[in-house]
């Protein structure tokens, strides 16, 4: 019998919410997938545990201070151990790698993802900030190196699944669903006083802290609008956000004849992760199934961009183009981290982002170096704006 070649996957950010779920997918299909490289930033104990279980070829800890601990803990195994951000890029580029799962959080994912594309590696993309910051550049690189970018974000995976079999049928509209997060029903007055602990309790999804805060402010949805533009080549006015608090429909596509296709499922990130690994095939999986006898309430509403100003700012960044979404992202990373440290109240986040967008130099046609400089400058401006109040 012909032996099936296993797909060797480099997981950038294996200790995170997406990374650990990706390893569950690999564990369920050891005949199909293999973890070639695992990487983390700080959580060295978990990385050690993962390495001992999945026996990758290499592991990388971005924080070099943790290298010794990692090296010693794996000394009895034939696993290569590296530290630092360059090593992170190098394992993604390595010859045997068949696919790179970009599951780091934030701007830090941009460079390794670019390097992996330049090395010709297909990308399973969870790290949406990469497309928010530099979508145009990423698309150019992916085209040049003939590399597919397979969405892992559940909404974009849903859209991607709706597009299967549609060949060249143009998209009329994308209907991007949003749960609305934990503060959907809050008034402005209540939003002014919501706490970090409340924001970290997402009603439907268990995710990393940064994206959970972004979901509470709806910046996550704003990012997903930008992500959809770059992944599916649509104009901003073709992307409509629809609040659907049950998170059963993961997104929809409307075609030119008015037909709407949707992808549904229980909220479980393992499905979009697995689809990115297995595309164009579907692979049998043990995930929970939807039970339509239990779905009694299926609702839809308009997003409120007054209470959730971050969503309006993301649309504005998309309309302005150039480096504006890079500024948006950098300012958001600063305020998100500050909110998580109780340094600023919830509603201050969008104010600082808006002020940073007004004060950071706009570049219409940015190069990679411009994005690096913009990210640094916007972070500096956002810090200054935060300290001004
Ligand atoms: P987590 O915070 O749970 O995990 C992030 C991972 O990246 C961890 O492995 C972390 O290492 C690593 N990491 C963080 N910063 C750095 C850095 N500077 N250098 C190297 N590695 C780093 O995030 P999530 O898994 O929730 O999210 C990952 C990405 O996927 C984000 O872009 C998010 O928007 C996107 N996404 C997530 C979804 C989810 O359900 N969680 C859904 C859709 C998209 P360490 O553990 O050591 O800190
Ligand atoms: Mg999403």
């Amino acid at each position: 019998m012909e032996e099936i070649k296993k797909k060797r996957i480099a997981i950038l950010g294996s200790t995170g919410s997406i990374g650990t779920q990706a390893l569950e997918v690999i564990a369920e299909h050891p005949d199909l997938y293999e973890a070639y490289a695992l990487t983390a930033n700080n959580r060295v104990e978990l990385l050690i545990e993962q390495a001992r279980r999945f026996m990758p070829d290499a592991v990388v800890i971005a924080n070099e201070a943790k290298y010794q601990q990692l090296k010693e803990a794996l000394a009895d195994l034939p696993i290569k151990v590296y530290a630092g951000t360059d090593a992170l890029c190098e394992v993604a580029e390595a010859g045997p790698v068949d696919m790179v799962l970009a599951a780091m959080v934030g701007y830090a994912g941009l460079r390794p993802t670019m390097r992996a594309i330049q090395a010709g590696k297909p990308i399973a993309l969870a790290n949406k900030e990469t497309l928010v910051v530099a979508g145009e550049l990423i698309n150019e690189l992916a085209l040049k190196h003939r590399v597919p970018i397979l969405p892992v974000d559940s909404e974009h995976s849903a859209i991607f699944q709706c597009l299967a079999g549609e060949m060249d049928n143009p998209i009329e509209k994308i209907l991007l669903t949003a749960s609305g997060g934990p503060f959907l029903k809050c008034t402005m007055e209540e939003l002014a006083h919501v706490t970090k602990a409340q924001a970290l309790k997402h009603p439907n999804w268990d995710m990393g802290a940064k994206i959970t805060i972004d979901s509470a402010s709806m910046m996550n949805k704003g990012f997903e609008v930008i992500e959809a533009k770059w992944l599916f080549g649509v104009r901003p006015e073709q992307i409509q956000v629809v609040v659907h608090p049950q998170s059963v429909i993961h997104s929809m596509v409307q075609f030119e004849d008015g037909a709407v296709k949707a992808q549904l499922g229980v909220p479980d990130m393992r499905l979009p992760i697995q689809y990115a690994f297995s595309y164009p095939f579907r692979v049998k999986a043990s995930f929970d199934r939807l039970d339509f006898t239990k779905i009694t309430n299926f609702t839809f509403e308009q997003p409120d961009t007054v209470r959730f100003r971050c969503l309006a700012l993301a649309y504005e960044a998309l309309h302005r183009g150039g480096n504006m979404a890079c500024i948006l992202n950098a300012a958001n990373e600063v305020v998100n981290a500050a909110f998580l440290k109780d340094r600023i109240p919830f509603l201050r986040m969008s104010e600082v982002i808006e002020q940073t967008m007004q004060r950071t130099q706009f570049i219409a046609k940015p190069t990679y170096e411009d994005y690096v400089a913009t990210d640094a400058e916007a972070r500096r401006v956002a810090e200054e704006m935060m300290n001004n109040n």
Side-chain angles (χ1 to χ4, degrees):
M1 218 174 82
E2 198 187 335
E3 192 164 328
I4 305 169
K5 190 176 159 286
K6 285 188 204 178
K7 202 174 260 186
R8 282 161 299 195
I9 303 172
I11 305 182
L12 304 181
S14 66
T15 50
S17 160
I18 293 290
T20 49
Q21 294 180 87
L23 285 172
E24 287 176 31
V25 170
I26 294 177
E28 193 174 346
H29 303 288
D31 49 329
L32 297 177
Y33 312 118
E34 176 177 305
Y36 177 84
L38 301 176
T39 82
N41 191 28
N42 279 310
R43 275 179 273 189
V44 68
E45 272 94 12
L46 181 54
L47 185 62
I48 292 165
E49 200 184 303
Q50 292 179 338
R52 300 197 78 88
R53 174 158 176 222
F54 289 91
M55 292 298 292
D57 191 77
V59 292
V60 183
I61 186 89
N63 179 352
E64 299 184 22
K66 312 257 173 156
Y67 172 73
Q68 211 51 37
Q69 186 186 350
L70 182 62
K71 178 92 187 141
E72 281 164 22
L74 300 175
D76 59 322
L77 299 172
I79 300 175
K80 298 180 201 106
V81 180
Y82 306 106
T85 46
D86 280 334
L88 211 127
C89 296
E90 282 153 22
V91 293
E93 294 168 335
V97 171
D98 296 311
M99 173 171 265
V100 173
L101 171 62
M104 292 164 59
V105 62
Y107 174 84
L110 175 62
R111 198 165 69 100
T113 307
M114 282 178 61
R115 293 265 300 260
I117 297 172
Q118 283 162 332
K121 306 299 183 190
I123 308 289
L125 188 76
N127 179 241
K128 65 188 87 187
E129 294 91 341
T130 283
L131 281 181
V132 171
V133 170
E136 195 160 9
L137 194 71
I138 292 292
N139 274 356
E140 279 168 18
L141 272 185
L143 196 67
K144 180 171 165 200
H145 295 277
R146 297 172 185 278
V147 164
I149 296 185
L150 300 145
V152 168
D153 210 347
S154 59
E155 295 77 1
H156 305 75
S157 176
I159 295 161
F160 189 58
Q161 292 176 59
C162 292
L163 292 174
E166 294 293 346
M167 267 88 71
D168 293 329
N169 290 333
I171 297 172
E172 187 168 81
K173 191 171 169 182
I174 283 174
L175 296 144
L176 197 69
T177 51
S179 72
F183 304 141
L184 179 61
K185 298 289 173 209
C186 288
T187 61
M188 254 340 214
E189 174 57 28
E190 287 164 341
L191 282 180
H193 300 105
V194 293
T195 64
K196 165 179 93 178
Q198 290 170 310
L200 284 171
K201 280 200 197 97
H202 194 280
N204 305 342
W205 298 94
D206 183 13
M207 309 178 286
K210 193 252 177 189
I211 185 177
T212 307
I213 300 302
D214 286 347
S215 300
S217 68
M218 287 195 81
M219 181 56 95
N220 181 53
K221 209 46 58 179
F223 282 174
E224 291 182 355
V225 170
I226 300 173
E227 188 184 10
K229 176 198 152 86
W230 296 120
L231 283 172
F232 305 111
V234 290
R235 297 184 309 278
E237 52 279 15
Q238 287 176 289
I239 310 169
Q240 181 186 342
V241 174
V242 179
V243 175
H244 166 52
Q246 297 79 24
S247 296
V248 171
I249 297 181
H250 296 312
S251 276
M252 302 176 262
V253 178
Q254 181 175 309
F255 294 93
E256 290 191 313
D257 57 358
V260 176
K261 280 168 81 173
Q263 186 258 334
L264 287 71
V266 291
D268 185 335
M269 285 307 296
R270 289 174 303 175
L271 192 143
I273 293 168
Q274 177 174 300
Y275 191 71
F277 288 176
S278 68
Y279 175 81
F281 303 104
R282 289 189 184 272
V283 172
K284 194 166 176 56
S286 62
F287 320 137
D288 285 348
R289 300 325 196 223
L290 269 186
D291 181 350
F292 280 89
T293 62
K294 298 216 172 85
I295 301 173
T296 50
N297 198 19
F298 224 44
T299 59
F300 305 95
E301 57 188 274
Q302 293 282 333
D304 180 346
T305 52
V306 175
R307 280 182 306 132
F308 296 99
R309 176 118 191 90
C310 287
L311 185 55
L313 292 174
Y315 268 103
E316 188 185 324
L318 191 52
H319 281 291
R320 298 275 309 271
N323 65 340
M324 195 49 84
C326 175
I327 299 171
L328 175 88
N329 177 72
N332 183 61
E333 288 193 25
V334 170
V335 296
N336 182 307
F339 179 72
L340 277 170
K341 290 194 187 112
D342 294 317
R343 277 181 63 201
I344 54 169
F346 188 77
L347 288 177
R348 185 84 185 108
M349 288 198 287
S350 60
E351 287 172 13
V352 171
I353 296 168
E354 187 164 17
Q355 290 163 350
T356 307
M357 286 167 73
Q358 287 158 356
R359 285 171 172 76
T360 308
Q361 196 198 344
F362 179 72
I363 304 172
K365 291 237 167 295
T367 60
Y368 173 67
E369 288 69 30
D370 291 329
Y371 286 123
V372 175
T374 299
D375 178 73
E377 175 65 0
R379 282 170 197 269
R380 194 193 56 73
V381 174
E383 280 291 346
E384 198 182 302
M385 294 301 113
M386 274 197 320
N387 294 330
N388 271 356
N389 242 293

